[in-house]
Amino acid sequence: MAEARARISFADVRASVKRMQTEGEKLVTRLRRDAQSLATRTRRETVSSLLTDARKLRTDIRDRAEKAIKDIDSQRERILASIEEQGSRLVERVVKGLNLVSAQDLASLNKRLGDIGRRLQELSKERAA
């Protein structure tokens, strides 16, 4: 079996080359025009543009630094809260291990002693009478 080959006519090739030449000339013209516009910029415009870019960069860096500081502060607060919580639990375990009286137990004992003291006074008044 013979393979079918698509043939392009010489006129089609010639037209294609002509289009490529025309497009190439347009591209070269556009490049030349852009290069001229860039070359004609004054030094003042260039420096002004550079200063504007530097100011934007400075602002961007400042914003990023402030955000980083806020992030670090929030991390510091979370870490401190975690350390305080762990320290509190540790102290609570140590106090329980030492069998020390809690503030609540001490207040309860003081109340009971006060009640006993009042009863003793009442009893001593009754005996005296």
Side-chain angles (χ1 to χ4, degrees):
M1 294 192 171
E3 287 185 32
R5 297 176 104 186
R7 293 192 170 248
I8 299 175
S9 70
F10 182 67
D12 289 340
V13 171
R14 190 176 208 173
S16 179
V17 169
K18 184 68 174 167
R19 279 193 306 272
M20 286 175 39
Q21 182 180 1
T22 303
E23 291 300 317
E25 288 173 356
K26 287 179 184 177
L27 182 61
V28 169
T29 302
R30 189 179 315 144
L31 286 172
R32 186 180 301 128
R33 188 176 56 241
D34 290 349
Q36 285 175 346
S37 71
L38 286 173
T40 58
R41 287 180 65 180
T42 64
R43 289 181 189 164
R44 177 173 277 160
E45 289 172 336
T46 304
V47 170
S48 175
S49 175
L50 287 173
L51 286 175
T52 301
D53 291 346
R55 287 184 186 117
K56 287 179 184 176
L57 181 62
R58 180 182 65 189
T59 303
D60 185 44
I61 290 172
R62 182 183 302 132
D63 292 345
R64 287 182 184 192
E66 288 173 356
K67 184 180 180 292
I69 289 171
K70 287 179 184 177
D71 290 346
I72 290 170
D73 281 345
S74 67
Q75 286 178 354
R76 178 186 54 86
E77 289 174 3
R78 280 187 276 132
I79 290 170
L80 282 176
S82 174
I83 290 172
E84 287 174 355
E85 180 184 335
Q86 291 174 6
S88 174
R89 285 190 299 215
L90 179 65
V91 167
E92 189 176 309
R93 270 194 240 143
V94 168
V95 167
K96 282 182 181 178
L98 294 175
N99 268 342
L100 296 177
V101 177
S102 69
Q104 188 177 16
D105 291 341
L106 187 59
S108 174
L109 287 174
N110 280 334
K111 182 180 177 197
R112 286 178 64 195
L113 282 175
D115 291 342
I116 291 172
R118 273 185 253 122
R119 283 186 189 166
L120 284 175
Q121 285 179 355
E122 289 173 6
L123 286 174
S124 65
K125 286 181 184 177
E126 285 179 9
R127 284 188 184 176

